[in-house]
């Protein structure tokens, strides 16, 4: 499973990228707001750090304006994936922008039918929002499983990008469900390293090592 980092925080992206943990980046208007940066400027900087797909989202509501915004965003760098919402206009924009040769990430997906439409429109990525479905007592991971089955049934090439990931367990479950990509905030990716038995074992090793009186360096 590929790891995308869901942030516009350049320092956090650079740290994870240096560790080989970043296959791509996703941003959205809320994450741009959080960064306090200009969308074109911060997106260009991210594209200079990460060689994989960097999603930048359009904000228009009608297809023609989405296409114009998408073309402007795609001009930032060759690794831009234009992010469009899963609306009828977003699907129209997806079709045109993929026809232009750009990667397109169709976002705000909450149903298998929406994912089926995105694949038909030629989306590069479909972004089902796991956490937001869980928030309303639906099962986000079940949706990932349904989309996996549908895409495999018909050999759709659209990649399933599990989004709205809130926990390390979400990452594991997305991988078990066969998501192609999971995008998560930096803190969630880091939390995947945590285990209480690792901490406990290390404490014991350090205590025993101190008793040996030895040094390695
Ligand atoms: O990847 C989509 C993400 O940014 C939304 O996450 O936690 O706001 O539902 P969240």
């Amino acid at each position: 499973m590929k790891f995308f980092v869901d942030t516009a925080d350049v320092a956090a992206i650079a740290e994870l990228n240096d560790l080989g943990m970043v296959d791509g980046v996703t941003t959205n208007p809320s994450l741009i707001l959080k960064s306090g940066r200009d969308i074109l400027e911060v997106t260009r900087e991210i594209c200079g750090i990460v060689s994989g797909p960097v999603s930048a989202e359009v904000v228009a509501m009608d297809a023609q304006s989405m296409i114009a915004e998408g073309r402007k965003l795609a001009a930032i760098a060759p690794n831009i994936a234009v992010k469009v919402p899963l609306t009828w206009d977003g699907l129209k924009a997806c079709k045109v922008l993929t026809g232009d040769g750009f990667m397109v990430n169709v976002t705000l997906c909450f149903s298998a039918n929406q994912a089926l439409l995105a694949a038909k429109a030629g989306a590069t990525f479909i972004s089902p929002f796991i956490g937001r479905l869980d928030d309303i007592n639906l099962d986000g991971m079940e949706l990932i499983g349904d989309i996996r089955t549908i895409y495999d049934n018909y050999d759709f090439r659209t990649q399933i990008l599990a989004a709205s990931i809130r926990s390390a367990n979400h990452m594991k479950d997305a991988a078990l469900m066969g998501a192609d990509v999971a995008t998560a905030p930096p803190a969630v990716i880091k939390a995947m390293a945590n285990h209480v038995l690792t901490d406990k074992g290390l404490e014991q090793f350090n205590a025993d090592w101190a008793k040996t009186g030895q040094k390695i360096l």
Side-chain angles (χ1 to χ4, degrees):
M1 185 172 73
K2 283 177 267 188
F3 283 17
F4 286 3
V5 59
D6 197 29
T7 186
D9 178 337
V10 173
I13 292 167
E15 185 196 355
L16 287 168
N17 192 56
D18 287 348
L19 269 177
M21 298 292 175
V22 179
D23 299 302
V25 172
T26 49
T27 65
N28 61 37
S30 304
L31 293 171
I32 296 295
L33 172 68
K34 200 171 166 193
S35 76
R37 303 271 311 268
D38 171 79
I39 183 172
L40 300 178
E41 183 194 290
V42 75
T43 306
R44 190 173 298 111
E45 194 174 337
I46 294 167
C47 289
I49 298 169
V50 174
S51 55
V54 174
S55 289
E57 187 160 342
V58 303
V59 292
M61 299 294 285
D62 66 283
Q64 280 317 312
S65 307
M66 283 184 202
I67 292 163
E69 288 181 354
R71 286 176 175 154
K72 182 166 181 177
L73 292 170
I76 294 173
N79 56 329
I80 287 287
V82 180
K83 213 171 175 188
V84 300
L86 212 156
T87 58
W88 200 247
D89 279 81
L91 293 169
K92 286 181 187 171
C94 173
K95 185 74 182 159
V96 171
L97 290 166
T98 53
D100 283 351
F102 302 129
M103 291 184 284
V104 175
N105 177 357
V106 181
T107 190
L108 289 167
C109 170
F110 294 97
S111 78
N113 274 337
Q114 288 181 317
L116 186 49
L117 289 173
K120 298 289 282 182
T124 316
F125 302 103
I126 181 69
S127 290
F129 274 35
I130 305 312
R132 292 190 193 187
L133 282 168
D134 291 354
D135 286 346
I136 58 162
N137 292 325
L138 293 173
D139 189 340
M141 283 303 156
E142 190 178 294
L143 175 59
I144 298 285
D146 286 350
I147 300 172
R148 180 78 281 156
T149 301
I150 291 168
Y151 282 9
D152 289 351
N153 279 349
Y154 300 101
D155 205 22
F156 283 120
R157 309 319 297 170
T158 300
Q159 295 180 52
I160 302 171
L161 196 173
S164 185
I165 294 269
R166 307 267 179 80
S167 67
N169 269 346
H170 272 161
M171 291 296 276
K172 178 198 69 178
D173 292 339
L176 285 170
M177 284 293 183
D180 299 288
V181 189
T183 191
V188 169
I189 294 175
K190 285 186 171 180
M192 293 169 72
N194 297 341
H195 201 291
V196 65
L197 291 180
T198 304
D199 297 341
K200 199 174 162 198
L202 198 53
E203 201 177 307
Q204 180 70 58
F205 286 158
N206 284 340
D208 290 344
W209 181 248
K211 288 179 200 157
T212 70
Q214 298 180 42
K215 283 191 180 346
I216 294 175
L217 289 176

